[in-house]
Amino acid sequence: MTVATFGERQEGIQYVNRYGVYAVIPDEKKENIILVQAPNGAWFLPGGEIEQGEDHLTALKRELIEELGFTAHIGQYYGEADEYFYSRHRDTYFYNPAYIYEVSHYEKLQAPLEDFNQLAWLPIEEAISKLKRGSHKWGIEMWKKSHKV
């Protein structure tokens, strides 16, 4: 399986591990991807931190209900994209392995449980350009390759 790395591990820096799982969710025509905009203005793929005791799929399904109000059929696994970054907001260095999946079918079940994010369906290239994390951009590129988009 593919592993990509973004950012650079710096010597002498203490990193906090933050394992996350994220989804590439296209619309039916595969023309747009849904993104989540955090209150700080940064755009991300839907998903988030894997909590203790959760596997990838359990965490992703929970995150999709929280962020989107969606139930989903989780499809292809694209791989792991590790990212090293500094969060000014949290004044912390993170090592963030991101496990990227495709959602092949979804159903809007309810309003998102988290009401502080903005959601937007964006054309694929615009979505890539808006994403903050290289690992999330990589996830959409992997989706594009698998669907020849």
Side-chain angles (χ1 to χ4, degrees):
M1 195 45 59
T2 304
V3 178
T5 303
F6 299 89
E8 198 170 302
R9 184 176 187 87
Q10 300 176 40
E11 291 298 320
I13 297 291
Q14 185 75 22
Y15 287 87
V16 172
N17 294 340
R18 187 178 189 279
Y19 296 87
V21 61
Y22 303 91
V24 177
I25 306 176
D27 63 8
E28 286 184 27
K29 294 182 178 179
K30 295 183 175 33
E31 294 173 351
N32 298 288
I33 303 281
I34 195 167
L35 297 185
V36 176
Q37 187 179 36
N40 69 2
W43 291 92
F44 301 97
L45 287 174
E49 189 166 10
I50 301 168
E51 295 178 358
Q52 189 166 349
E54 289 182 323
D55 61 24
H56 291 187
L57 299 184
T58 302
L60 186 54
K61 288 178 179 183
R62 174 186 50 76
E63 285 286 346
L64 295 178
I65 286 285
E66 289 176 1
E67 291 183 347
L68 307 175
F70 286 8
T71 58
H73 179 267
I74 310 300
Q76 186 173 346
Y77 173 60
Y78 291 118
E80 179 181 336
D82 296 345
E83 190 142 11
Y84 296 93
F85 65 91
Y86 174 73
S87 168
R88 287 189 305 277
H89 175 69
R90 293 189 174 96
D91 191 26
T92 303
Y93 287 88
F94 287 97
Y95 166 61
N96 179 211
Y99 306 99
I100 310 288
Y101 289 84
E102 173 185 20
V103 165
S104 56
H105 177 75
Y106 63 87
E107 185 175 329
K108 183 154 179 67
L109 196 62
Q110 64 190 51
L113 298 177
E114 297 176 351
D115 62 1
F116 46 81
N117 295 317
Q118 298 297 315
L119 306 175
W121 288 97
L122 298 169
I124 295 164
E125 295 307 318
E126 183 180 349
I128 292 169
S129 72
K130 285 190 179 291
L131 285 166
K132 181 169 187 169
R133 301 267 169 256
S135 55
H136 294 205
K137 294 174 188 266
W138 175 86
I140 294 178
E141 292 294 347
M142 295 301 290
W143 173 83
K144 283 173 52 180
K145 277 186 194 174
S146 77
H147 291 277
K148 296 174 179 44
V149 173

